[in-house]
Amino acid sequence: MVDITHKNTTLRTAVAQAIVVVSKPETIEAIKNDTVPKGNVLAMSKAAGLLGVKRTPDILPDCHPLPIEFTGVDYEINGLEIKVLFTVKTIYKTGVEVEAMHGASVVALNMYDMLKPIDKGIEIHAIKLLKKKGGKSDYKDKFRKDLTAAVVVCSDTISAGNKEDKAGKTIIEKLKTSGVSISEYVIIPDEEDIIQNKAKAYQAQGIDIIIYTGGTGLSGRDVTPEALIPMLDRRIPGIEEAIRNYGQDRTPYSMLSRSVAGTIKNTLILALPGSTNGAKESMDAIFPSVLHVFRILKAARHD
C-alpha cells in the first residue's frame, strides 16, 4: 500500500453513483409496492451497501483499512432507471473514493440479485465517482503563488564546516513543492544577535516566510526561541501545537521541542527543529495549509 504516514488527518467525503436499468415498468412498480418475492429491494440493497463498504480493504489489496464514520444511500427513480447515490465520510489520512464506488456497486449488485427472478433484462451502468472533498487537492489553488522564503540553519557545528546540513535542504524541497520561491539559504552559528539580525534583514527585504531550523531544543546553545520570541508582533500557537502534535504521533521526543511560530508585520517566522526528521515532519505538519495565513494578513476573505 502507498505510504500515508506523513499525511494529515482531515475530513474526507466522497459521493459515487451506480445506475440500475430494468427492462420493464412492472419491475419498478414491484419495487415501489414492495411486492418483489425476495423482499424490500431498496432497504435490503442499502443494508448490503453498508456491509460492503466496510469490507473494501478485504476485497481491494491496495486500499487502506480506515474508519467509515458515515455512510448514506439514496435512490432516484426516473423511468426504468434507478440511480444509487452512495456517500462515505471519514476523518483520516486518505480519501474514501474507492469505498464510495465499492458501496454503490454492491448496492447495484444486490438490486440485480433481488430483481433477476422477475426481470431478466436488468443492467448496471455508470459506476463512477461524482465528487470528493478533503485532502490537499481541495486547497492547492487557494494559496498565493508569489511567496518567497528564506531558510536559516542555526548550528555551530554546521557553520564551522564539521557537519553537512540536511534539515535546511529538506525544508527547501518542501517549500518548492508548495510553490514557494527560495530567496535565501544561509547557515549561521547559534548566536542570538545573528539570529535576530537575519530576521530583521529578511523582513526588511519583504521576504514572506523566514524559516529557522535548529536551536529549538534544550541544550545551553539552543537559543533560537529566545532570540525570536521578543521580536514577534504576535505568536501563532495553533501552528506550534500542530507541529508538536504531528511529531508526537511519530516520536515521543517531540514534546521536548520548542518550535516557534509568529509574525513580524506581514512576515511569517517559523523556528523548527534542527534534526532532519524533525524538520521534515514539521513541514509536513503545516504545509501547504499554513500558507493561508497570507490571505488573512492581506485581509482576504477566508472560509
Side-chain angles (χ1 to χ4, degrees):
M1 293 185 287
V2 173
D3 184 0
I4 60 171
T5 56
H6 64 285
K7 290 189 174 184
N8 285 298
T9 297
T10 59
L11 173 61
R12 315 273 183 153
T13 303
V15 181
Q17 75 163 30
I19 296 177
V20 178
V21 182
V22 303
S23 65
K24 50 189 179 180
E26 290 81 5
T27 304
I28 297 295
E29 290 304 311
I31 294 170
K32 290 180 177 179
N33 296 329
D34 195 13
T35 58
V36 175
K38 285 192 173 185
N40 188 295
V41 174
L42 301 183
M44 290 280 287
S45 298
K46 177 179 180 179
L50 298 180
L51 292 171
V53 72
K54 300 171 188 175
R55 302 295 299 274
T56 303
D58 295 336
I59 305 300
L60 301 174
D62 280 340
C63 282
H64 295 82
L66 49 77
I68 301 296
E69 296 176 291
F70 172 79
T71 301
V73 182
D74 296 293
Y75 301 102
E76 295 178 2
I77 299 176
N78 183 19
L80 299 181
E81 291 188 353
I82 306 168
K83 180 185 287 186
V84 179
L85 296 171
F86 202 98
T87 303
V88 181
K89 294 182 181 181
T90 187
I91 298 177
Y92 200 60
K93 300 175 184 178
T94 189
V96 285
E97 303 95 286
V98 173
E99 285 77 6
M101 294 175 70
H102 181 223
S105 67
V106 170
V107 172
L109 284 169
N110 191 77
M111 294 180 72
Y112 177 92
D113 180 61
M114 294 185 71
L115 293 172
K116 65 183 180 182
I118 64 170
D119 192 334
K120 303 300 183 183
I122 299 171
E123 297 179 353
I124 297 174
H125 296 175
I127 298 173
K128 65 180 182 179
L129 181 71
L130 296 181
K131 59 182 178 180
K132 56 173 266 188
K133 187 175 183 181
K136 65 181 182 180
S137 60
D138 275 3
Y139 306 103
K140 64 182 180 180
D141 295 325
K142 295 187 178 181
F143 306 124
R144 283 175 48 193
K145 305 298 184 182
D146 59 342
L147 297 173
T148 58
V151 177
V152 183
V153 179
C154 301
S155 170
D156 293 332
T157 304
I158 296 173
S159 65
N162 297 324
K163 184 180 177 182
E164 180 187 356
D165 167 55
K166 294 182 180 178
K169 293 175 181 177
T170 296
I171 290 170
I172 289 171
E173 288 305 310
K174 185 68 173 183
L175 287 169
K176 288 179 178 177
T177 62
S178 299
V180 179
S181 301
I182 311 302
S183 295
E184 190 79 27
Y185 164 62
V186 65
I187 299 171
I188 63 173
D190 292 297
E191 298 288 349
E192 286 192 43
D193 58 340
I194 300 176
I195 294 170
Q196 292 177 339
N197 288 337
K198 287 297 179 185
K200 293 174 184 176
Y202 294 143
Q203 193 281 322
Q205 293 172 30
I207 290 177
D208 298 294
I209 311 169
I210 306 171
I211 302 181
Y212 292 83
T213 175
T216 62
L218 293 169
S219 75
R221 293 291 291 168
D222 288 330
V223 296
T224 305
E226 285 74 18
L228 293 176
I229 289 173
M231 303 179 65
L232 299 177
D233 297 328
R234 289 185 293 180
R235 297 278 292 274
I236 312 177
I239 296 177
E240 299 169 5
E241 293 162 7
I243 290 170
R244 277 187 282 273
N245 183 62
Y246 184 95
Q248 195 68 24
D249 285 340
R250 289 153 179 81
T251 171
Y253 303 134
S254 284
M255 62 183 175
L256 303 177
S257 174
R258 299 183 299 135
S259 297
V260 174
T263 57
I264 301 175
K265 296 184 179 178
N266 284 349
T267 297
L268 176 65
I269 309 293
L270 300 173
L272 308 181
S275 69
T276 304
N277 279 342
K280 179 183 183 303
E281 289 173 0
S282 298
M283 294 294 288
D284 286 341
I286 61 175
F287 276 83
S289 302
V290 73
L291 300 179
H292 183 60
V293 72
F294 293 100
R295 294 179 64 85
I296 299 172
L297 289 172
K298 293 293 186 181
R301 178 179 179 271
H302 53 96
D303 299 317

PDB file of all heavy atoms in Angstrom, residues 8 135-137 139-144 147 174-175 177-180 209 283-294:
ATOM      1  N   ASN A   8      -1.716  14.340   6.901  1.00  0.00           N
ATOM      2  CA  ASN A   8      -2.532  14.839   7.995  1.00  0.00           C
ATOM      3  C   ASN A   8      -3.924  14.221   7.938  1.00  0.00           C
ATOM      4  O   ASN A   8      -4.454  13.924   6.862  1.00  0.00           O
ATOM      5  CB  ASN A   8      -2.664  16.360   7.919  1.00  0.00           C
ATOM      6  CG  ASN A   8      -1.409  17.066   8.360  1.00  0.00           C
ATOM      7  OD1 ASN A   8      -0.982  16.938   9.506  1.00  0.00           O
ATOM      8  ND2 ASN A   8      -0.804  17.813   7.458  1.00  0.00           N
ATOM      9  N   GLY A 135      -8.412  16.609   1.866  1.00  0.00           N
ATOM     10  CA  GLY A 135      -7.053  16.389   1.383  1.00  0.00           C
ATOM     11  C   GLY A 135      -6.504  17.608   0.672  1.00  0.00           C
ATOM     12  O   GLY A 135      -7.184  18.607   0.444  1.00  0.00           O
ATOM     13  N   LYS A 136      -5.232  17.514   0.293  1.00  0.00           N
ATOM     14  CA  LYS A 136      -4.528  18.684  -0.221  1.00  0.00           C
ATOM     15  C   LYS A 136      -5.074  19.198  -1.544  1.00  0.00           C
ATOM     16  O   LYS A 136      -4.933  20.375  -1.861  1.00  0.00           O
ATOM     17  CB  LYS A 136      -3.042  18.367  -0.385  1.00  0.00           C
ATOM     18  CG  LYS A 136      -2.724  17.299  -1.419  1.00  0.00           C
ATOM     19  CD  LYS A 136      -1.229  17.049  -1.493  1.00  0.00           C
ATOM     20  CE  LYS A 136      -0.903  16.016  -2.569  1.00  0.00           C
ATOM     21  NZ  LYS A 136       0.551  15.754  -2.647  1.00  0.00           N
ATOM     22  N   SER A 137      -5.724  18.340  -2.340  1.00  0.00           N
ATOM     23  CA  SER A 137      -6.237  18.784  -3.636  1.00  0.00           C
ATOM     24  C   SER A 137      -7.316  19.851  -3.488  1.00  0.00           C
ATOM     25  O   SER A 137      -7.549  20.642  -4.400  1.00  0.00           O
ATOM     26  CB  SER A 137      -6.787  17.587  -4.433  1.00  0.00           C
ATOM     27  OG  SER A 137      -7.835  16.960  -3.726  1.00  0.00           O
ATOM     28  N   TYR A 139      -7.140  22.363  -1.590  1.00  0.00           N
ATOM     29  CA  TYR A 139      -6.548  23.640  -1.224  1.00  0.00           C
ATOM     30  C   TYR A 139      -5.459  24.117  -2.169  1.00  0.00           C
ATOM     31  O   TYR A 139      -4.939  25.212  -2.017  1.00  0.00           O
ATOM     32  CB  TYR A 139      -5.962  23.536   0.191  1.00  0.00           C
ATOM     33  CG  TYR A 139      -6.972  23.062   1.205  1.00  0.00           C
ATOM     34  CD1 TYR A 139      -6.956  21.750   1.657  1.00  0.00           C
ATOM     35  CD2 TYR A 139      -7.953  23.910   1.689  1.00  0.00           C
ATOM     36  CE1 TYR A 139      -7.888  21.296   2.581  1.00  0.00           C
ATOM     37  CE2 TYR A 139      -8.895  23.466   2.612  1.00  0.00           C
ATOM     38  CZ  TYR A 139      -8.849  22.162   3.053  1.00  0.00           C
ATOM     39  OH  TYR A 139      -9.778  21.720   3.955  1.00  0.00           O
ATOM     40  N   LYS A 140      -5.121  23.317  -3.163  1.00  0.00           N
ATOM     41  CA  LYS A 140      -3.945  23.622  -3.979  1.00  0.00           C
ATOM     42  C   LYS A 140      -4.062  24.928  -4.753  1.00  0.00           C
ATOM     43  O   LYS A 140      -3.049  25.551  -5.077  1.00  0.00           O
ATOM     44  CB  LYS A 140      -3.660  22.472  -4.938  1.00  0.00           C
ATOM     45  CG  LYS A 140      -4.752  22.220  -5.976  1.00  0.00           C
ATOM     46  CD  LYS A 140      -4.395  21.024  -6.848  1.00  0.00           C
ATOM     47  CE  LYS A 140      -5.466  20.763  -7.896  1.00  0.00           C
ATOM     48  NZ  LYS A 140      -5.131  19.604  -8.741  1.00  0.00           N
ATOM     49  N   ASP A 141      -5.271  25.368  -5.040  1.00  0.00           N
ATOM     50  CA  ASP A 141      -5.441  26.600  -5.812  1.00  0.00           C
ATOM     51  C   ASP A 141      -5.828  27.791  -4.939  1.00  0.00           C
ATOM     52  O   ASP A 141      -6.219  28.837  -5.435  1.00  0.00           O
ATOM     53  CB  ASP A 141      -6.502  26.394  -6.897  1.00  0.00           C
ATOM     54  CG  ASP A 141      -6.079  25.367  -7.929  1.00  0.00           C
ATOM     55  OD1 ASP A 141      -4.871  25.309  -8.231  1.00  0.00           O
ATOM     56  OD2 ASP A 141      -6.937  24.629  -8.412  1.00  0.00           O
ATOM     57  N   LYS A 142      -5.714  27.652  -3.626  1.00  0.00           N
ATOM     58  CA  LYS A 142      -6.181  28.700  -2.721  1.00  0.00           C
ATOM     59  C   LYS A 142      -5.057  29.523  -2.123  1.00  0.00           C
ATOM     60  O   LYS A 142      -5.310  30.393  -1.299  1.00  0.00           O
ATOM     61  CB  LYS A 142      -7.012  28.067  -1.603  1.00  0.00           C
ATOM     62  CG  LYS A 142      -8.300  27.414  -2.113  1.00  0.00           C
ATOM     63  CD  LYS A 142      -9.176  26.952  -0.969  1.00  0.00           C
ATOM     64  CE  LYS A 142     -10.484  26.359  -1.507  1.00  0.00           C
ATOM     65  NZ  LYS A 142     -11.361  25.916  -0.403  1.00  0.00           N
ATOM     66  N   PHE A 143      -3.823  29.253  -2.500  1.00  0.00           N
ATOM     67  CA  PHE A 143      -2.703  29.967  -1.914  1.00  0.00           C
ATOM     68  C   PHE A 143      -2.051  30.881  -2.944  1.00  0.00           C
ATOM     69  O   PHE A 143      -2.068  30.606  -4.149  1.00  0.00           O
ATOM     70  CB  PHE A 143      -1.666  28.976  -1.378  1.00  0.00           C
ATOM     71  CG  PHE A 143      -2.232  27.961  -0.427  1.00  0.00           C
ATOM     72  CD1 PHE A 143      -2.090  26.614  -0.659  1.00  0.00           C
ATOM     73  CD2 PHE A 143      -2.919  28.368   0.709  1.00  0.00           C
ATOM     74  CE1 PHE A 143      -2.615  25.676   0.212  1.00  0.00           C
ATOM     75  CE2 PHE A 143      -3.445  27.444   1.588  1.00  0.00           C
ATOM     76  CZ  PHE A 143      -3.292  26.095   1.339  1.00  0.00           C
ATOM     77  N   ARG A 144      -1.448  31.953  -2.431  1.00  0.00           N
ATOM     78  CA  ARG A 144      -0.716  32.860  -3.314  1.00  0.00           C
ATOM     79  C   ARG A 144       0.440  32.132  -3.987  1.00  0.00           C
ATOM     80  O   ARG A 144       1.076  31.252  -3.408  1.00  0.00           O
ATOM     81  CB  ARG A 144      -0.191  34.042  -2.508  1.00  0.00           C
ATOM     82  CG  ARG A 144      -1.237  35.081  -2.169  1.00  0.00           C
ATOM     83  CD  ARG A 144      -0.668  36.159  -1.270  1.00  0.00           C
ATOM     84  NE  ARG A 144       0.604  36.678  -1.753  1.00  0.00           N
ATOM     85  CZ  ARG A 144       1.418  37.445  -1.030  1.00  0.00           C
ATOM     86  NH1 ARG A 144       1.089  37.764   0.206  1.00  0.00           N
ATOM     87  NH2 ARG A 144       2.545  37.881  -1.528  1.00  0.00           N
ATOM     88  N   LEU A 147       4.860  33.820  -3.261  1.00  0.00           N
ATOM     89  CA  LEU A 147       5.509  33.875  -1.951  1.00  0.00           C
ATOM     90  C   LEU A 147       6.994  33.536  -2.038  1.00  0.00           C
ATOM     91  O   LEU A 147       7.411  32.700  -2.841  1.00  0.00           O
ATOM     92  CB  LEU A 147       4.816  32.916  -0.977  1.00  0.00           C
ATOM     93  CG  LEU A 147       3.351  33.233  -0.666  1.00  0.00           C
ATOM     94  CD1 LEU A 147       2.730  32.130   0.158  1.00  0.00           C
ATOM     95  CD2 LEU A 147       3.228  34.576   0.051  1.00  0.00           C
ATOM     96  N   LYS A 174      10.480  21.021   0.501  1.00  0.00           N
ATOM     97  CA  LYS A 174       9.052  21.118   0.818  1.00  0.00           C
ATOM     98  C   LYS A 174       8.493  22.462   0.371  1.00  0.00           C
ATOM     99  O   LYS A 174       7.362  22.543  -0.128  1.00  0.00           O
ATOM    100  CB  LYS A 174       8.837  20.934   2.319  1.00  0.00           C
ATOM    101  CG  LYS A 174       7.373  20.894   2.735  1.00  0.00           C
ATOM    102  CD  LYS A 174       6.690  19.642   2.212  1.00  0.00           C
ATOM    103  CE  LYS A 174       5.285  19.514   2.751  1.00  0.00           C
ATOM    104  NZ  LYS A 174       4.617  18.274   2.329  1.00  0.00           N
ATOM    105  N   LEU A 175       9.258  23.524   0.544  1.00  0.00           N
ATOM    106  CA  LEU A 175       8.810  24.840   0.098  1.00  0.00           C
ATOM    107  C   LEU A 175       8.591  24.854  -1.410  1.00  0.00           C
ATOM    108  O   LEU A 175       7.608  25.414  -1.910  1.00  0.00           O
ATOM    109  CB  LEU A 175       9.821  25.908   0.498  1.00  0.00           C
ATOM    110  CG  LEU A 175       9.881  26.269   1.989  1.00  0.00           C
ATOM    111  CD1 LEU A 175      11.104  27.125   2.278  1.00  0.00           C
ATOM    112  CD2 LEU A 175       8.613  26.987   2.429  1.00  0.00           C
ATOM    113  N   THR A 177       7.839  22.330  -3.376  1.00  0.00           N
ATOM    114  CA  THR A 177       6.640  21.582  -3.749  1.00  0.00           C
ATOM    115  C   THR A 177       5.369  22.329  -3.374  1.00  0.00           C
ATOM    116  O   THR A 177       4.300  22.046  -3.918  1.00  0.00           O
ATOM    117  CB  THR A 177       6.621  20.195  -3.073  1.00  0.00           C
ATOM    118  OG1 THR A 177       6.599  20.351  -1.646  1.00  0.00           O
ATOM    119  CG2 THR A 177       7.843  19.378  -3.473  1.00  0.00           C
ATOM    120  N   SER A 178       5.488  23.299  -2.464  1.00  0.00           N
ATOM    121  CA  SER A 178       4.338  24.122  -2.076  1.00  0.00           C
ATOM    122  C   SER A 178       4.255  25.405  -2.893  1.00  0.00           C
ATOM    123  O   SER A 178       3.415  26.266  -2.612  1.00  0.00           O
ATOM    124  CB  SER A 178       4.422  24.474  -0.582  1.00  0.00           C
ATOM    125  OG  SER A 178       4.402  23.309   0.218  1.00  0.00           O
ATOM    126  N   GLY A 179       5.137  25.551  -3.888  1.00  0.00           N
ATOM    127  CA  GLY A 179       5.086  26.712  -4.772  1.00  0.00           C
ATOM    128  C   GLY A 179       5.712  27.969  -4.202  1.00  0.00           C
ATOM    129  O   GLY A 179       5.435  29.066  -4.682  1.00  0.00           O
ATOM    130  N   VAL A 180       6.585  27.822  -3.200  1.00  0.00           N
ATOM    131  CA  VAL A 180       7.244  28.972  -2.585  1.00  0.00           C
ATOM    132  C   VAL A 180       8.659  29.102  -3.133  1.00  0.00           C
ATOM    133  O   VAL A 180       9.416  28.117  -3.158  1.00  0.00           O
ATOM    134  CB  VAL A 180       7.294  28.830  -1.050  1.00  0.00           C
ATOM    135  CG1 VAL A 180       8.002  30.024  -0.420  1.00  0.00           C
ATOM    136  CG2 VAL A 180       5.880  28.681  -0.488  1.00  0.00           C
ATOM    137  N   ILE A 209       8.327  34.524   4.179  1.00  0.00           N
ATOM    138  CA  ILE A 209       8.483  33.477   5.193  1.00  0.00           C
ATOM    139  C   ILE A 209       9.959  33.363   5.558  1.00  0.00           C
ATOM    140  O   ILE A 209      10.816  33.245   4.666  1.00  0.00           O
ATOM    141  CB  ILE A 209       7.993  32.104   4.679  1.00  0.00           C
ATOM    142  CG1 ILE A 209       6.604  32.215   4.058  1.00  0.00           C
ATOM    143  CG2 ILE A 209       8.005  31.066   5.790  1.00  0.00           C
ATOM    144  CD1 ILE A 209       6.175  30.967   3.303  1.00  0.00           C
ATOM    145  N   MET A 283       7.474  20.386   8.641  1.00  0.00           N
ATOM    146  CA  MET A 283       6.991  20.931   7.371  1.00  0.00           C
ATOM    147  C   MET A 283       5.774  20.162   6.876  1.00  0.00           C
ATOM    148  O   MET A 283       4.793  20.750   6.397  1.00  0.00           O
ATOM    149  CB  MET A 283       8.107  20.910   6.334  1.00  0.00           C
ATOM    150  CG  MET A 283       9.283  21.823   6.637  1.00  0.00           C
ATOM    151  SD  MET A 283       8.858  23.591   6.583  1.00  0.00           S
ATOM    152  CE  MET A 283       8.647  23.828   4.813  1.00  0.00           C
ATOM    153  N   ASP A 284       5.822  18.839   6.999  1.00  0.00           N
ATOM    154  CA  ASP A 284       4.673  18.027   6.594  1.00  0.00           C
ATOM    155  C   ASP A 284       3.435  18.377   7.410  1.00  0.00           C
ATOM    156  O   ASP A 284       2.310  18.319   6.911  1.00  0.00           O
ATOM    157  CB  ASP A 284       4.991  16.533   6.770  1.00  0.00           C
ATOM    158  CG  ASP A 284       5.949  16.001   5.717  1.00  0.00           C
ATOM    159  OD1 ASP A 284       6.086  16.650   4.659  1.00  0.00           O
ATOM    160  OD2 ASP A 284       6.556  14.940   5.957  1.00  0.00           O
ATOM    161  N   ALA A 285       3.647  18.732   8.675  1.00  0.00           N
ATOM    162  CA  ALA A 285       2.521  19.018   9.567  1.00  0.00           C
ATOM    163  C   ALA A 285       1.743  20.262   9.153  1.00  0.00           C
ATOM    164  O   ALA A 285       0.521  20.310   9.326  1.00  0.00           O
ATOM    165  CB  ALA A 285       3.028  19.180  10.999  1.00  0.00           C
ATOM    166  N   ILE A 286       2.419  21.253   8.605  1.00  0.00           N
ATOM    167  CA  ILE A 286       1.765  22.558   8.414  1.00  0.00           C
ATOM    168  C   ILE A 286       1.719  23.052   6.973  1.00  0.00           C
ATOM    169  O   ILE A 286       0.988  24.007   6.679  1.00  0.00           O
ATOM    170  CB  ILE A 286       2.427  23.634   9.300  1.00  0.00           C
ATOM    171  CG1 ILE A 286       3.897  23.822   8.940  1.00  0.00           C
ATOM    172  CG2 ILE A 286       2.267  23.267  10.776  1.00  0.00           C
ATOM    173  CD1 ILE A 286       4.579  24.963   9.703  1.00  0.00           C
ATOM    174  N   PHE A 287       2.488  22.448   6.083  1.00  0.00           N
ATOM    175  CA  PHE A 287       2.471  22.900   4.683  1.00  0.00           C
ATOM    176  C   PHE A 287       1.650  21.955   3.844  1.00  0.00           C
ATOM    177  O   PHE A 287       1.683  20.745   4.043  1.00  0.00           O
ATOM    178  CB  PHE A 287       3.906  22.978   4.141  1.00  0.00           C
ATOM    179  CG  PHE A 287       4.609  24.258   4.471  1.00  0.00           C
ATOM    180  CD1 PHE A 287       5.217  24.427   5.697  1.00  0.00           C
ATOM    181  CD2 PHE A 287       4.644  25.306   3.574  1.00  0.00           C
ATOM    182  CE1 PHE A 287       5.861  25.618   6.019  1.00  0.00           C
ATOM    183  CE2 PHE A 287       5.280  26.495   3.873  1.00  0.00           C
ATOM    184  CZ  PHE A 287       5.896  26.652   5.115  1.00  0.00           C
ATOM    185  N   PRO A 288       0.915  22.504   2.857  1.00  0.00           N
ATOM    186  CA  PRO A 288       0.830  23.908   2.461  1.00  0.00           C
ATOM    187  C   PRO A 288      -0.222  24.732   3.212  1.00  0.00           C
ATOM    188  O   PRO A 288      -0.371  25.915   2.971  1.00  0.00           O
ATOM    189  CB  PRO A 288       0.464  23.819   0.982  1.00  0.00           C
ATOM    190  CG  PRO A 288      -0.400  22.609   0.912  1.00  0.00           C
ATOM    191  CD  PRO A 288       0.195  21.630   1.906  1.00  0.00           C
ATOM    192  N   SER A 289      -0.951  24.110   4.144  1.00  0.00           N
ATOM    193  CA  SER A 289      -2.082  24.794   4.776  1.00  0.00           C
ATOM    194  C   SER A 289      -1.686  26.102   5.439  1.00  0.00           C
ATOM    195  O   SER A 289      -2.463  27.064   5.452  1.00  0.00           O
ATOM    196  CB  SER A 289      -2.720  23.870   5.818  1.00  0.00           C
ATOM    197  OG  SER A 289      -3.150  22.669   5.227  1.00  0.00           O
ATOM    198  N   VAL A 290      -0.465  26.154   5.989  1.00  0.00           N
ATOM    199  CA  VAL A 290      -0.039  27.358   6.699  1.00  0.00           C
ATOM    200  C   VAL A 290       0.029  28.578   5.778  1.00  0.00           C
ATOM    201  O   VAL A 290      -0.053  29.722   6.234  1.00  0.00           O
ATOM    202  CB  VAL A 290       1.334  27.117   7.378  1.00  0.00           C
ATOM    203  CG1 VAL A 290       2.458  27.088   6.348  1.00  0.00           C
ATOM    204  CG2 VAL A 290       1.615  28.166   8.444  1.00  0.00           C
ATOM    205  N   LEU A 291       0.122  28.352   4.486  1.00  0.00           N
ATOM    206  CA  LEU A 291       0.201  29.475   3.547  1.00  0.00           C
ATOM    207  C   LEU A 291      -1.086  30.295   3.502  1.00  0.00           C
ATOM    208  O   LEU A 291      -1.091  31.417   3.001  1.00  0.00           O
ATOM    209  CB  LEU A 291       0.550  28.964   2.148  1.00  0.00           C
ATOM    210  CG  LEU A 291       1.888  28.210   2.030  1.00  0.00           C
ATOM    211  CD1 LEU A 291       2.115  27.742   0.602  1.00  0.00           C
ATOM    212  CD2 LEU A 291       3.045  29.083   2.499  1.00  0.00           C
ATOM    213  N   HIS A 292      -2.153  29.746   4.055  1.00  0.00           N
ATOM    214  CA  HIS A 292      -3.409  30.503   4.130  1.00  0.00           C
ATOM    215  C   HIS A 292      -3.245  31.760   4.978  1.00  0.00           C
ATOM    216  O   HIS A 292      -4.030  32.715   4.854  1.00  0.00           O
ATOM    217  CB  HIS A 292      -4.511  29.610   4.710  1.00  0.00           C
ATOM    218  CG  HIS A 292      -5.857  30.250   4.768  1.00  0.00           C
ATOM    219  ND1 HIS A 292      -6.510  30.715   3.645  1.00  0.00           N
ATOM    220  CD2 HIS A 292      -6.690  30.519   5.810  1.00  0.00           C
ATOM    221  CE1 HIS A 292      -7.679  31.232   3.985  1.00  0.00           C
ATOM    222  NE2 HIS A 292      -7.810  31.128   5.302  1.00  0.00           N
ATOM    223  N   VAL A 293      -2.229  31.778   5.820  1.00  0.00           N
ATOM    224  CA  VAL A 293      -2.003  32.942   6.674  1.00  0.00           C
ATOM    225  C   VAL A 293      -1.816  34.222   5.849  1.00  0.00           C
ATOM    226  O   VAL A 293      -2.191  35.314   6.289  1.00  0.00           O
ATOM    227  CB  VAL A 293      -0.773  32.719   7.599  1.00  0.00           C
ATOM    228  CG1 VAL A 293       0.525  32.783   6.826  1.00  0.00           C
ATOM    229  CG2 VAL A 293      -0.751  33.744   8.725  1.00  0.00           C
ATOM    230  N   PHE A 294      -1.296  34.070   4.640  1.00  0.00           N
ATOM    231  CA  PHE A 294      -1.023  35.266   3.838  1.00  0.00           C
ATOM    232  C   PHE A 294      -2.296  35.855   3.234  1.00  0.00           C
ATOM    233  O   PHE A 294      -2.355  37.056   2.970  1.00  0.00           O
ATOM    234  CB  PHE A 294       0.020  34.952   2.761  1.00  0.00           C
ATOM    235  CG  PHE A 294       1.363  34.648   3.363  1.00  0.00           C
ATOM    236  CD1 PHE A 294       1.791  33.338   3.516  1.00  0.00           C
ATOM    237  CD2 PHE A 294       2.169  35.662   3.845  1.00  0.00           C
ATOM    238  CE1 PHE A 294       3.010  33.049   4.103  1.00  0.00           C
ATOM    239  CE2 PHE A 294       3.384  35.391   4.438  1.00  0.00           C
ATOM    240  CZ  PHE A 294       3.806  34.085   4.578  1.00  0.00           C
TER     241      PHE A 294
END
